Amino acid sequence: MTDQPEAPLQIAVVPVTPFQQNCSILWDPETKQAAIVDPGGDAPRLQEALKELGVTPVAIWLTHGHLDHAGGATELAEALSLPIIGPHEGDKFLLDGLPEQGLRFDILDMKAVKPTRWLKEGDEVSLGGLTFSVQHVPGHTPGHVTFFQKDLRFLLAGDTVFAGSVGRTDFPYGDHETLISGIKTKLLPLGDDVQFLPGHGPASTLGEERRNNPFLLG
């Protein structure tokens, strides 16, 4: 009997905050290096998850600046001495305003986020031996980005597209047409076989959403 080779990317989803946001911990099983994607809160719980997984965090990646995705980033970065990568600079006003966002939900200790590196369309981020390309897909927020691993056919979609739905745009800075255009021109062309993990709810494939998502038909 031979051992099965490990997948080149491991993923653990840790729902955080009352919004049940899909914070994901990605790691390279060979190096055990990990990225924490969208730590919206519950930083002590995420630190415990990292210990249980036996991985070494090397960076925090942010898709956008809403509190349920970025609210725990500064606390975690300070505790673990990690760089914060992303999102696009269009979300600077949201990251600067995280303490005020938190107060609206009776969260008193949320810290503003100052990314180590802003991202833009066509940038790349790396984890172990894997490289992810960055797509700038505004509409839900002005600076929303996604992360795509071409070889593994895997997309971290944030709050752009969900299983059967799309991100909210009923904010003063939201734009539904821009979001739908970005999904159709930047995400769906990545391929029907691409599996994606959204910011909330279950995973799906881009093909499933292209064929059946009511917001993307027509």
Side-chain angles (χ1 to χ4, degrees):
M1 190 178 197
T2 58
D3 290 336
Q4 292 293 319
E6 280 195 284
L9 179 69
Q10 299 285 325
I11 305 168
V13 176
V14 184
V16 295
T17 79
F19 300 95
Q20 289 295 285
Q21 193 278 122
N22 290 334
C23 175
S24 54
I25 300 172
L26 315 180
W27 72 94
D28 176 338
E30 189 171 323
T31 65
K32 298 293 188 183
Q33 290 186 342
I36 307 158
V37 184
D38 286 353
D42 302 330
R45 184 170 166 224
L46 290 173
Q47 291 185 67
E48 188 61 35
L50 291 165
K51 289 179 184 175
E52 289 177 6
L53 293 168
V55 297
T56 302
V58 295
I60 293 168
W61 299 353
L62 297 180
T63 63
H64 65 292
H66 281 160
L67 82 165
D68 55 325
H69 291 254
T74 294
E75 181 181 353
L76 206 58
E78 290 175 349
L80 301 175
S81 300
L82 299 177
I84 299 173
I85 299 174
H88 182 280
E89 198 166 5
D91 273 10
K92 183 179 186 299
F93 74 104
L94 290 170
L95 297 175
D96 289 343
L98 278 170
E100 290 75 24
Q101 285 190 56
L103 288 176
R104 292 190 205 115
F105 296 93
D106 296 322
I107 303 170
L108 304 180
D109 55 354
M110 190 166 284
K111 296 181 179 181
V113 171
K114 298 188 185 307
T116 312
R117 173 189 170 195
W118 297 107
L119 295 173
K120 63 183 184 301
E121 178 78 23
D123 280 351
E124 294 182 338
V125 295
S126 296
L127 177 64
L130 296 172
T131 299
F132 291 72
S133 62
V134 173
Q135 299 75 40
H136 178 212
V137 188
H140 178 66
T141 69
H144 198 300
V145 298
T146 61
F147 301 94
F148 176 54
Q149 215 302 312
K150 182 177 180 180
D151 296 328
L152 301 180
R153 317 302 294 154
F154 176 69
L155 174 72
L156 290 160
D159 285 1
T160 55
V161 61
F162 302 111
S165 190
V166 296
R168 288 177 56 185
T169 55
D170 57 339
F171 309 107
Y173 49 80
D175 190 310
H176 184 75
E177 289 186 6
T178 297
L179 175 62
I180 298 302
S181 174
I183 294 170
K184 288 185 173 181
T185 62
K186 294 184 179 182
L187 301 186
L188 295 187
L190 296 175
D192 283 358
D193 62 326
V194 171
Q195 185 173 41
F196 70 89
L197 179 67
H200 306 266
S204 183
T205 65
L206 292 178
E208 173 67 22
E209 301 314 308
R210 180 182 61 79
R211 290 185 294 268
N212 297 309
N213 190 315
F215 293 92
L216 303 177
L217 299 177

